[in-house]
Amino acid sequence: MFASIASILLVFAAAACGGGKDNSGNNASSGKASASEIFQQNCAACHGKNLEGKNGPNLQKIGSKLTKDQILNQIKNGGGGMPANIISGKDAEAVAEWLANKK
């Protein structure tokens, strides 16, 4: 019973993190948003508006633990409860670079 409830909660948490996409599956940002804005629109529901962590881990100093490429890989492939491709393309690149500078 507990495993079923935990699984359902994980699905809802993962769905909440993906709120920045429009119905076509494309990112809601126009490509002109800053990395911070993209993060706020797509990632803050799980990682906190100040990167403090909520359902997802704290990212305030993630750049001291992971490189840009490692962060980009996590964004693209998900894992550890994070769904894949919450953001993609140039938006994902920008957020990965922005997060890599958080040390």
Side-chain angles (χ1 to χ4, degrees), residues 75-91:
I75 292 169
K76 287 181 177 180
N77 298 311
M82 179 174 163
N85 294 311
I86 295 294
I87 50 179
S88 60
K90 291 182 181 181
D91 287 350

Side-chain angles (χ1 to χ4, degrees), residues 62 66-79 82-100:
I62 194 67
L66 300 176
T67 66
K68 175 189 172 190
D69 289 338
Q70 291 171 316
I71 295 168
L72 185 59
N73 184 57
Q74 182 72 29
I75 292 169
K76 287 181 177 180
N77 298 311
M82 179 174 163
N85 294 311
I86 295 294
I87 50 179
S88 60
K90 291 182 181 181
D91 287 350
E93 293 266 348
V95 171
E97 183 172 349
W98 178 74
L99 288 171

Side-chain angles (χ1 to χ4, degrees), residues 4-23:
S4 296
I5 293 171
S7 295
I8 291 169
L9 290 175
L10 182 59
V11 169
F12 282 118
C17 290
K21 293 189 178 189
D22 63 22
N23 291 335

Side-chain angles (χ1 to χ4, degrees), residues 26-86:
N26 296 324
N27 289 344
S29 72
S30 66
K32 296 180 183 178
S34 71
S36 175
E37 291 168 328
I38 296 165
F39 178 89
Q40 292 302 320
Q41 293 168 359
N42 298 283
C43 312
C46 292
H47 293 288
K49 68 178 185 171
N50 297 310
L51 293 88
E52 73 275 13
K54 291 174 99 179
N55 297 334
N58 181 311
L59 300 177
Q60 292 173 333
K61 295 184 180 184
I62 194 67
S64 64
K65 298 175 187 172
L66 300 176
T67 66
K68 175 189 172 190
D69 289 338
Q70 291 171 316
I71 295 168
L72 185 59
N73 184 57
Q74 182 72 29
I75 292 169
K76 287 181 177 180
N77 298 311
M82 179 174 163
N85 294 311
I86 295 294

